[in-house]
Amino acid sequence: MSLAALDAALYAALSATQWITASGPTTARPFALVGRYAGELSVDGIRETCAQYPAALLRYDGGGSTRTVDAVEGVDDTGTEAWTALVAVEEPREIDDAIAATDAQVPGALALIDAVLLALNGLVFDEAWRDRRVRVVGYAPALIARGTVYVYAVRFEARRELPQAPMTVAQAGNGQDLTSITAETDLVGPGTPAPDASVAIAIDFLT
């Protein structure tokens, strides 16, 4: 899966937590705004991005490559991609209201973090490396301006196979696909006079 397609899958899942205007906020859809964020987190940046609160903002944080060498699977170059879902609450009242409120109409940050986890943690996506799902890495306060805005960062990782240049016919050589293995194992041990106790093993690979 391309990086853009994976980002789109995450954004679509997060967008499902935005409330529908006709029905208002619910436990499953607590956010007034789902959007994107880029760059360093700041009060001004949040205010410029958030037209409504509470908000969930998806930010791509970059990735890193890992080379895995496996006797069966061969060599895999995979990318570990990172995103952060920024949960923003505007609350001029008490800290308890901003953090711990459980009212579906005016949820606190902790309830909103759980809503993001429910949407993204364990998300299945196409071409994941060895079928690994999106996984949460951690969550913590990211920007606290008491009496104004409270922002928490929920960090996720996804591992995918990285794009690579195709191998030409010349580079691939004249090798043939392995179609079968035939072997024999001695059940008694070496040096046993014939006829000894042995078992033939034949493995055919489906093509």
Side-chain angles (χ1 to χ4, degrees):
M1 174 175 274
S2 70
L3 192 56
L6 180 50
D7 180 84
L10 289 167
Y11 189 77
L14 191 59
S15 294
T17 64
Q18 182 171 330
W19 78 50
I20 299 170
T21 304
S23 59
T26 64
T27 301
R29 291 177 172 267
F31 292 104
L33 172 69
V34 172
R36 296 184 186 276
Y37 193 91
E40 293 296 323
L41 184 61
S42 67
V43 173
D44 288 341
I46 286 293
R47 286 174 176 168
E48 290 172 2
T49 306
C50 293
Q52 293 177 293
Y53 294 91
L57 308 174
L58 187 65
R59 182 182 69 186
Y60 176 61
D61 292 335
S65 62
T66 302
R67 177 162 294 171
T68 302
V69 181
D70 187 282
V72 177
E73 299 291 341
V75 178
D76 281 330
D77 286 322
T78 61
T80 302
E81 314 294 352
W83 280 264
T84 295
L86 297 170
V87 173
V89 180
E90 185 181 48
E91 182 55 76
R93 298 178 297 172
E94 298 294 330
I95 294 177
D96 283 355
D97 296 314
I99 306 301
T102 57
D103 185 351
Q105 297 298 310
V106 190
L110 299 183
L112 296 171
I113 289 171
D114 273 349
V116 169
L117 290 172
L118 187 61
L120 298 183
N121 189 32
L123 184 70
V124 177
F125 63 97
D126 293 337
E127 299 176 27
W129 185 72
R130 298 188 181 178
D131 296 325
R132 294 192 179 182
R133 302 181 178 194
V134 175
R135 290 301 181 194
V136 64
V137 177
Y139 36 93
L143 177 65
I144 305 296
R146 294 181 182 176
T148 306
V149 65
Y150 301 76
V151 183
Y152 289 78
V154 189
R155 295 175 289 114
F156 295 91
E157 284 185 352
R159 196 166 180 186
R160 67 182 181 115
E161 294 188 10
L162 291 175
Q164 59 183 351
M167 184 178 293
T168 65
V169 174
Q171 291 169 335
N174 297 320
Q176 296 182 343
D177 293 334
L178 182 63
T179 58
S180 65
I181 296 176
T182 302
E184 184 175 280
T185 182
D186 194 326
L187 299 181
V188 179
T192 306
D196 59 357
S198 62
V199 174
I201 300 172
I203 303 173
D204 292 323
F205 298 96
L206 297 177
T207 57

